Amino acid sequence: MPVEQAGRTVQLAAQLYRPVSPKPAPAVAIFHGCGGVGVNNTRMAELLKDWGYVALVVDSFSARGLKDVCGRNWPTQASAQARAQDIDASLAWLGKQSFVDPKRLAFMGYSYGGGVGLLRALSARTDIRVPSGWRAAILVYPDCGLGESLGAELRPRLPTMFAMGELDDWTPVRQCQALLERVKAERDLVETHVYAGAHHSFDALGLPVRYLDGVGNRSKPGGCCGAHYGANEAAWKQFTADVKAFMARYLAR
């Protein structure tokens, strides 16, 4: 899948999940966090397929020679702006496929990918419409620090769901709450869910909560360092129910 970047074309890798359907189905592009495509992304894609959606898990890193950007050199705003073009390209590609309904497209972003998603989901401008067919965005424990550059007053460009862990100290709820306080118009298009007792990566099923002392952390002074992450099965179950309901609400015909 081609993406234009800095005067050259980058060919992104992606994994496609298709439901058994006699007619074109709604589609969701999924964007991973700082560690690259993970089991949490592919697990969600399988669920979406089971629910009747086409899912595309996009690998933003391999074609750019990246594997993991979770360390002390945390992704910059410029890197996030460049990666936001992956969302544009992926949904454009999906909209051209015969097995996809081009009028029912959505995207999901996780952690760093969720912060990148902010750059498409929210805007300070009132004259920018989303491309045809974009219906919803889901931002999963997003890096809301990337929204600092968007402007003092914001509006959602499309219905957007925030899914966050109460105890997340990597992409903390308070940072996203501060961002959402700047949403002054069409606030009803924003849906927020905070899962009690959950840390970052609450959907990493089977992974006990642990502390990573070497990871970059935009919410700390100087962007460094350390955060907890790990699974919370109760949060995961509620999250999947919330995603299913949100998608049905906005991608139904």
Side-chain angles (χ1 to χ4, degrees):
M1 184 166 45
V3 176
E4 297 300 319
Q5 181 179 330
R8 67 187 182 98
T9 300
V10 176
Q11 291 288 343
L12 298 181
Q15 187 172 356
L16 184 67
Y17 297 75
R18 290 179 57 182
V20 177
S21 175
K23 55 187 179 181
V28 185
I30 297 175
F31 298 89
H32 59 75
C34 64
V37 175
V39 174
N40 58 337
N41 306 135
T42 56
R43 184 187 296 115
M44 177 52 69
E46 290 283 5
L47 277 176
L48 288 167
K49 183 184 74 170
D50 291 345
W51 296 340
Y53 300 93
V54 173
L56 184 71
V57 179
V58 180
D59 178 355
S60 292
F61 285 0
S62 294
R64 296 182 171 104
L66 301 172
K67 291 184 178 180
D68 185 318
V69 296
C70 297
R72 294 170 186 266
N73 296 320
W74 195 238
T76 64
Q77 190 76 34
S79 296
Q81 293 283 359
R83 191 182 172 199
Q85 297 176 52
D86 296 2
I87 298 175
D88 305 336
S90 299
L91 294 187
W93 183 86
L94 282 168
K96 294 175 182 177
Q97 306 311 306
S98 61
F99 50 84
V100 169
D101 182 345
K103 296 181 180 179
R104 294 188 290 164
L105 304 173
F107 64 87
M108 293 184 70
Y110 288 72
S111 192
Y112 169 42
V116 171
L118 281 175
L119 305 179
R120 289 296 180 265
L122 303 178
S123 175
R125 296 177 59 178
T126 59
D127 60 339
I128 298 180
R129 295 184 179 180
V130 295
S132 175
W134 289 30
R135 299 281 288 273
I138 298 177
L139 309 178
V140 189
Y141 39 86
D143 180 1
C144 287
L146 288 170
E148 290 300 316
S149 66
L150 288 175
E153 293 192 6
L154 304 173
R155 60 180 290 273
R157 299 177 70 203
L158 72 173
T160 301
M161 172 179 153
F162 286 73
M164 302 169 284
E166 177 192 22
L167 303 182
D168 195 325
D169 59 357
W170 200 347
T171 57
V173 173
R174 58 175 169 74
Q175 203 167 38
C176 291
Q177 289 175 332
L179 176 73
L180 291 176
E181 286 174 2
R182 289 153 50 198
V183 175
K184 303 299 184 183
E186 298 180 283
R187 184 65 175 79
D188 59 314
L189 295 180
V190 177
E191 181 175 312
T192 61
H193 297 275
V194 179
Y195 303 109
H199 291 83
H200 198 81
S201 297
F202 57 75
D203 56 343
L205 300 185
L207 180 69
V209 174
R210 61 192 177 113
Y211 187 74
L212 303 175
D213 59 5
V215 297
N217 190 329
R218 206 183 308 276
S219 71
K220 290 188 174 182
C224 192
C225 289
H228 292 83
Y229 88 130
N232 183 305
E233 189 170 352
W236 155 253
K237 288 180 179 178
Q238 186 59 55
F239 164 68
T240 56
D242 292 337
V243 170
K244 187 175 184 179
F246 182 82
M247 299 294 270
R249 187 176 312 123
Y250 291 107
L251 269 73
R253 286 190 177 277

